[in-house]
Amino acid sequence: QVQLVESGGGLVQAGGSLRLSCVVSGSFRSINTMGWYRKAPGKQRELAAYITNLGTNYADSVKGRFAISRDNAKNTVFLQMNSLKPEDTGLYYCNANVYVYSLGSRDYWGQGTQVTVSI
């Protein structure tokens, strides 16, 4: 069974920074793409950033402010969020495409960590 556990969310003033972490645990062969999605109140969940072994990709709304990285040795993905804005407020979910020996490649999700940016 594969589990994703996020941490690092919280309350911050506009212009501040937060760093999210997500650890993947369980029995699997490899992790492919890792990413962060977010869901703001009243809106659909959207992709913030993702990272593969070839590079990174960001939503236009976070380019230049957020940076995604991963530590493959620790099965961990990070999201450094700088210059935060009130519109960044939402529940941030970690996603990982994981190759499980008996199941092949599947997407797994964390429970989410709340980020609240105050004016």
Side-chain angles (χ1 to χ4, degrees):
Q1 186 175 2
V2 176
Q3 290 186 326
L4 278 64
V5 178
E6 302 107 331
S7 62
L11 173 64
V12 64
Q13 286 188 329
S17 298
L18 284 173
R19 189 185 193 217
L20 306 183
S21 301
C22 172
V23 180
V24 182
S25 63
S27 180
F28 53 88
R29 177 178 177 181
S30 61
I31 303 172
N32 303 315
T33 304
M34 304 181 81
W36 289 93
Y37 289 71
R38 62 185 185 181
K39 187 181 184 309
K43 295 185 178 181
Q44 291 187 330
R45 185 163 57 185
E46 64 174 4
L47 174 69
Y50 70 82
I51 182 168
T52 71
N53 290 327
L54 298 178
T56 59
N57 200 357
Y58 298 91
D60 288 341
S61 58
V62 308
K63 279 182 182 176
R65 300 187 297 120
F66 290 12
I68 189 170
S69 61
R70 63 194 285 176
D71 184 337
N72 290 329
K74 297 182 179 180
N75 298 325
T76 302
V77 62
F78 305 96
L79 186 67
Q80 178 66 44
M81 305 185 294
N82 300 322
S83 302
L84 283 161
K85 304 176 181 180
E87 51 264 42
D88 293 319
T89 293
L91 195 57
Y92 283 68
Y93 295 92
C94 176
N95 169 270
N97 183 266
V98 181
Y99 188 90
V100 180
Y101 291 98
S102 60
L103 300 176
S105 292
R106 292 198 171 187
D107 279 339
Y108 293 87
W109 294 88
Q111 293 297 310
T113 184
Q114 179 66 37
V115 171
T116 303
V117 184
S118 63
I119 297 173

